Amino acid sequence: MQTARVVIIGSGPAAYTAAIYAARAKLAPVLFAGQKAGGQLMWTTEIENFPGFPEGIKGPDLMMNMMAQAQKFGTEIKYDYVTAVDFSQKPFKIWTTIPKGQVADTLLTTASQAEYAKVREEIIATEPTVTADAVIIATGASSIMLGAKGEMEFLGRGVSTCAVCDAAFYKDKVTYVVGGGDSAMEDTLALTKFAKEITVIHRRDSFKASKIMQERVLNHPKVKVMWNTAVKAVKGDKFVTSIVVNENGAEKELPTDGLFVAVGHRPVTTLFKDQIQLDDHGYVVTRQSASKLGVEAASKVMDEKNHVMFPTMTSVEGIFAAGDGVDVRFKQAITAAGQGCAAAIDAERWLESLA
């Protein structure tokens, strides 16, 4: 069994940035990246809004650069999934055991809480893989996809889950947005600055977004709405050329340059339930969470200057969190990286406070 000062769970911008800072602080971090290292940016072809790359950079290239930088300063990267944790006492215990017949990625992202809890009992019956004095959670979130045929094949090639990131690539193009919540409305409005035409596809006959967001979308001259409609397939060659939809029971094929899926995100936090505080949607609560729970947590830990102590700390001392698994609002690579930096600095200073 390995021991570590700091363990980082995740492999996106938050995780790698935390690793860079923790390694430079001589904390010898161990980072568990999983077998699909790099997070959601591995599906992004071009990134133009990450500072320092005026010509843009491909998502996988950015993540490989971050990983190499973390390794340069001494981060030990393991391509194993963390499948269970025990944060009830120090040092914290972490397992990477995968029981026979289980697929780690499925267990951590799509299994129900009850299904996971049953498997967890089998995992924690084995010896932990590593113990840690501090842990930084940066497991991120996964976009909820439609399940349409061809959707994953064209992800990053006409199918996008972030209009704020990709809208500029669709200047004077025909686009579709799927969803009915605030995220879909935000994506639609982002596209109106660039796209020639935007059609919102929603499976019901009314949006669930806030009234003000609905009004902005419904009153915009570039926007149309297809009610009671579902996307069944995505077609194309190198890039998307059309989508197949079912509108009120009738199937039709519609030419398009881009499809934006905006039906929500699911934080990858199943293994942390009952270990740290999560909100009703599964997001990790820290002292800087943009929510009532975050404000309540922060208000309890003010120092003599009325500053929040260790803002990235979770409900368990020594456990910190950053990135899309915490962020209920922005979900950008640069904000995730910033939170990863903060989490590493908090972890370093907290460890120093124990000396």
Side-chain angles (χ1 to χ4, degrees), residues 20 50-51 83 87-88 122 155 171 201 204 224 233 276 285 294 325-326 332 337 354:
I20 291 167
F50 198 94
T83 53
F87 296 157
S88 63
E122 187 176 348
L155 188 60
K171 184 174 175 61
I201 295 175
R204 297 189 176 91
K224 300 176 183 177
I276 56 174
V285 177
V326 176
Q332 299 296 301
L354 302 180

Side-chain angles (χ1 to χ4, degrees), residues 150-151 153-155 157-160 170 234-243 254-259:
E151 174 186 45
E153 177 186 349
F154 289 101
L155 188 60
R157 297 190 294 124
V159 175
S160 173
Y170 292 85
V234 181
K235 295 184 176 183
D237 185 10
K238 291 183 178 180
F239 296 92
V240 171
T241 57
S242 67
I243 57 174
L254 306 170
T256 186
D257 300 298
L259 176 69

Side-chain angles (χ1 to χ4, degrees), residues 16-187:
Y16 286 139
T17 304
I20 291 167
Y21 274 78
R24 284 172 57 83
K26 305 301 181 184
L27 294 175
V30 177
L31 183 148
F32 288 93
Q35 295 172 6
K36 295 181 179 179
Q40 296 183 74
L41 290 188
M42 296 299 285
W43 299 98
T44 305
T45 51
E46 293 288 338
I47 299 171
E48 292 191 328
N49 57 2
F50 198 94
F53 301 95
E55 301 303 320
I57 184 171
K58 295 184 184 302
D61 290 344
L62 178 62
M63 299 320 301
M64 292 303 99
N65 287 347
M66 285 188 175
M67 181 185 70
Q69 192 170 356
Q71 288 177 309
K72 173 184 176 181
F73 294 112
T75 301
E76 181 182 356
I77 296 180
K78 295 179 177 291
Y79 296 96
D80 300 313
Y81 287 104
V82 171
T83 53
V85 297
D86 182 354
F87 296 157
S88 63
Q89 60 183 351
K90 301 179 182 66
F92 304 115
K93 298 175 183 177
I94 295 164
W95 286 264
T96 59
T97 305
I98 303 174
K100 187 176 180 180
Q102 295 293 329
V103 177
D105 190 38
T106 302
L107 178 67
L108 299 173
T109 59
T110 61
S112 69
Q113 199 62 57
E115 291 169 335
Y116 172 76
K118 185 176 180 180
V119 176
R120 182 180 185 274
E121 292 302 312
E122 187 176 348
I123 294 171
I124 63 173
T126 65
E127 182 180 70
T129 305
V130 62
T131 61
D133 296 327
V135 176
I136 297 174
I137 296 168
T139 47
S142 59
S143 298
I144 300 173
M145 305 304 289
L146 305 173
K149 184 179 180 181
E151 174 186 45
M152 297 305 296
E153 177 186 349
F154 289 101
L155 188 60
R157 297 190 294 124
V159 175
S160 173
T161 58
C162 181
V164 174
C165 311
D166 298 335
F169 296 117
Y170 292 85
K171 184 174 175 61
D172 298 325
K173 303 289 187 181
V174 174
T175 60
Y176 287 80
V177 176
V178 184
D182 280 347
S183 293
M185 304 299 103
E186 289 171 3
D187 277 13

